[in-house]
Amino acid sequence: MKLIILFAFFVSIELTAATVAGTITEKESGEVVIGSAVAVYEKTTSTENSFVIGNYTLKNVPIRGGYTNKYGFYSLPKIPNGDYILVARNVLYEVFTKELSIKEDYEINIEFEEKEIVSDEVVVTAQRNANGTGQISTINIDPNYIKKLPSIGSEVDVFRALQLLPGVSSGGELSSGLYVRGGSPDQNLILLDNVIVYNPTHIGGFLSVFNSDALNEINLIKGGMPAKYGGRMSSVLDMQMKEGNYKEFEGAGSISLISAKATIEGPITENSSFMVSARRFYFDLFLNLIDDAPKYYFYDFNAKVNYKLSDKDQLYVSGFLGDDVFDIGETNENIKFIWGNKTLNARWKHIVNKSLFTNFSLIYTNYNSTFRLEDSDDSEISDYFETVSDIEDFTLKGNAEYFGLANNLISFGYELTQHNFLSRVATNNNLDAELNDFLGDRRINALDGAIYAMDEIAINDKLSTNIGGRLYYFQEGDYFGFEPRLAASYNINPWLKAIGSYSTAHQFLNLISRNDIAVPTDLWFPSTEKIKPGRSTQTVLGIHSILPNDLSLQVEAYYKHMENLYEYKENTSFSLGIPLDDQFTSGFGWSYGFEIFLEKQLGNFTGWLGYTWSKTERKFDEINNGKVYFPRWDRRHDISLTGTYNFNKHWEIGAAWVYSTGQGFTLQNGSYTLDPNGWNQRYSYGERNGFRLPAYHRLDVNLMYKYEFM
């Protein structure tokens, strides 16, 4: 009898509760708005434990609250029947309020209006509030802010802006590579519209391949990765392309000292829109004026089309295409080097009901690097030598978010990828037997699969957790295992919270490099029976705070341990041939440090101050005589200060100042030859990166004048 009464009690609660769900978009363009706070509040007449918004006095603690996901969807479940105020907020837009009388489920789609502020474009949204666990070791940057920062040759670059963040280092002045908390660039999961981009740089690492005009969101996760991300050891860079303006046609274009680019977006029909963005490096046009000068250019192309099938279904097709072409043509010889990426993603968004949101994707990815040397005679090719490194992926991906529990957000999903790796060396010339051993094709096909689940739990008003895990399988080598992920935050008061996280991650693809610049001759190589998958564990502790005057503060300390790191052995003879497993040597490493990130989000002046103290060490038995050494990107101190200031609606100034401890380098201490004729010269070096360059600092300033001509 007691069980029947208890069952009836829970049924009555369910019958008197409702769900409010919907999508938040920008009124002017129809673009979805990500990471906006949505909550239902009770009205009150008391001045204690309350706040005023518009014409309403509301209790401090909401009945239900949540955030829009990366597709602009929100859901507030199990709201008891009654009268409430729905409040939606984002720092970039005017606050939205609506009176609700809850008796049944509601679908409320919200259009945000831009906030009336002095500055035209606001900026950075690194932390929107002091609650929840979603912002641990995470920084979000508005692409519009990147456009205001000083840039090389007036070419705005996403990666160079990210290098200004605490915890992110560069490989040098000419490198846009991201070294996140002691990890190397290949340990970053680079996602563009949920698709992996293997080679994210142009000009051998000088610029990234991502055009900021095509991006809607840039989200960098430096630690405590949620379970939905996997396959890399250090960080996640998750970028979303614009969907295209649903309301009207618009475009943007620019010409810098080194390239030209243009973006066009607009509606196709009432239920569909498009976005197309292209960029080309045109320095080769000047080189054409010089006889026998090498020819080099790159281009990248982004496109996205979406169509609303119904109120609950939407289809997206997005793609990226980019190539670098380097060509040296002489009378009888020609050297051509081409490398680039291709991606294509067909995604179906389906809202099952007000509590269940799903996405399913079919993805194609390709990265190819081809080097060809030709020796021609009378316009006929007599001899050639060619190397090819190619990765081709076919991926099925699905994920779901369940909002039906009052204090839980449950996410789960799967990823299934068929990797096809090709390494080829081909020639029509007769070579010696030793080099002939390298010739031919080497193909590795491997299935890579994972399933994950995680639960964001609001245990009470103070404590929130994100508990998750990821099961992985990699066919080549038959690797199978589990990765636990845990994050927690404790609200000390409404403006201050303590955070912590622990995560493990594995990596089955390694970028084997003979130098510290991400040039395209570096080779992606999969795990095999001999090449074990990389593994990292990271622990993070810190505090996050909202300060007066639109300031936010993050202070975090971390420790990361890395296993099964791979490099070429010292004095290896491999150069252009297919690498053999025994040419690699494995080791391990660790890094630790703390970071301070102070940011101003609104007003005439916006920007941030970042400081990092860190230490990164590695140890390989067959490198540096087995002694511990510092990789080149290890720097003890790193400071960055960025800011933009609007004088008026026409004039604006931007500046970026960086200071860092000098990087390590290996000093040559001698040379010798192995024969009396001086051929086969060898060099002798001291300890790897045993010397330190002087400290480095740089100040860049950018002055902008804006005007309207239409």
Side-chain angles (χ1 to χ4, degrees), residues 428-446:
N428 65 348
N429 197 1
N430 294 321
L431 301 172
D432 57 47
E434 181 179 355
L435 187 54
N436 269 316
D437 290 339
F438 287 114
L439 300 182
D441 291 358
R442 179 169 184 182
R443 298 177 183 271
I444 298 177
N445 301 321

Side-chain angles (χ1 to χ4, degrees), residues 40-55:
V40 171
Y41 292 90
E42 287 183 292
K43 290 188 288 186
T44 181
T45 57
S46 173
T47 57
E48 296 183 2
N49 299 319
S50 64
F51 69 100
V52 176
I53 189 165
N55 297 322

Side-chain angles (χ1 to χ4, degrees), residues 667-685:
L667 187 66
Q668 179 183 331
N669 54 24
S671 64
Y672 58 93
T673 59
L674 299 180
D675 60 72
N677 295 320
W679 298 98
N680 202 3
Q681 188 173 24
R682 301 292 178 89
Y683 300 93
S684 174
Y685 296 90

Side-chain angles (χ1 to χ4, degrees), residues 85 203 282 322 407 514 521 533 688:
I85 303 298
I203 324 181
Y282 53 68
N407 298 311
R514 297 193 66 180
T521 50
R688 175 169 287 207

